[in-house]
Amino acid sequence: TTGISGNGSQLTSLPSGLTLLSTLTTTSGTSNTTATLNLTTYKTLQIYVYNVGNTSGTQRLQFTPNGGSVSTGGNSMPSSVQSSYQMITFDLASGVYGYGNFPTSRTLTAGTGAGQGGAGVNTGLTTSTTTIMFDWSGGATFDIGSIKIYGLK
């Protein structure tokens, strides 16, 4: 644009970067729940699922906020020798979320290929949510991976 000068210090109300709110190590148990969260100042959650798998395969990873209902992200794991990589973007005002899911080998070092994307709504996940639980649709035990939850103001 034209007519703009200065160093940008006069700009206000710019969004800050992502803030890491919780890290879950998903190497054991049938569910993993965040520590207490304070989402009151956040507009969006960005959830990264990295190499998360279970002992049984053929189950969907799902999340449940306190006060909310279960939501699934992505397709079922084809087998227990595969794991899931996902990115989930969640709007705290509307409850709308979108995800991209890439189930693949547990030893992925780089890759592209068949994945799945989708969307959903969970109006129970809001700025007043204090915990989010992750588990499998069939009650399997986690055995690999991690989940990181970031907030955007």
Side-chain angles (χ1 to χ4, degrees):
T1 59
T2 60
I4 294 179
S5 63
N7 63 6
S9 63
Q10 64 274 41
L11 299 174
T12 60
S13 300
L14 294 176
S16 61
L18 291 174
T19 300
L20 180 61
L21 303 174
S22 184
T23 300
L24 299 172
T25 302
T26 54
T27 55
S28 65
T30 57
S31 67
N32 284 270
T33 303
T34 64
T36 301
L37 300 170
N38 181 351
L39 304 179
T40 57
T41 60
Y42 294 96
K43 296 183 184 307
T44 303
L45 293 183
Q46 188 71 41
I47 303 169
Y48 294 97
V49 175
Y50 180 78
N51 200 27
V52 173
N54 67 60
T55 57
S56 301
T58 67
Q59 297 184 29
R60 291 179 183 267
L61 182 64
Q62 55 191 22
F63 64 90
T64 308
N66 65 308
S69 56
V70 173
S71 292
T72 60
N75 51 348
S76 297
M77 302 307 308
S79 73
S80 62
V81 297
Q82 293 195 310
S83 60
S84 180
Y85 296 80
Q86 295 184 40
M87 293 186 324
I88 305 166
T89 302
F90 199 98
D91 179 67
L92 291 169
S94 67
V96 172
Y97 65 95
Y99 62 86
N101 180 42
F102 184 63
T104 189
S105 161
R106 292 174 177 229
T107 58
L108 176 73
T109 54
T112 59
Q116 176 192 36
V121 177
N122 188 327
T123 56
L125 182 47
T126 67
T127 57
S128 59
T129 296
T130 57
T131 61
I132 304 171
M133 179 188 72
F134 292 85
D135 65 356
W136 295 100
S137 58
T141 300
F142 286 96
D143 67 347
I144 191 171
S146 64
I147 298 171
K148 291 188 177 192
I149 301 171
Y150 292 86
L152 179 65
K153 293 187 176 185

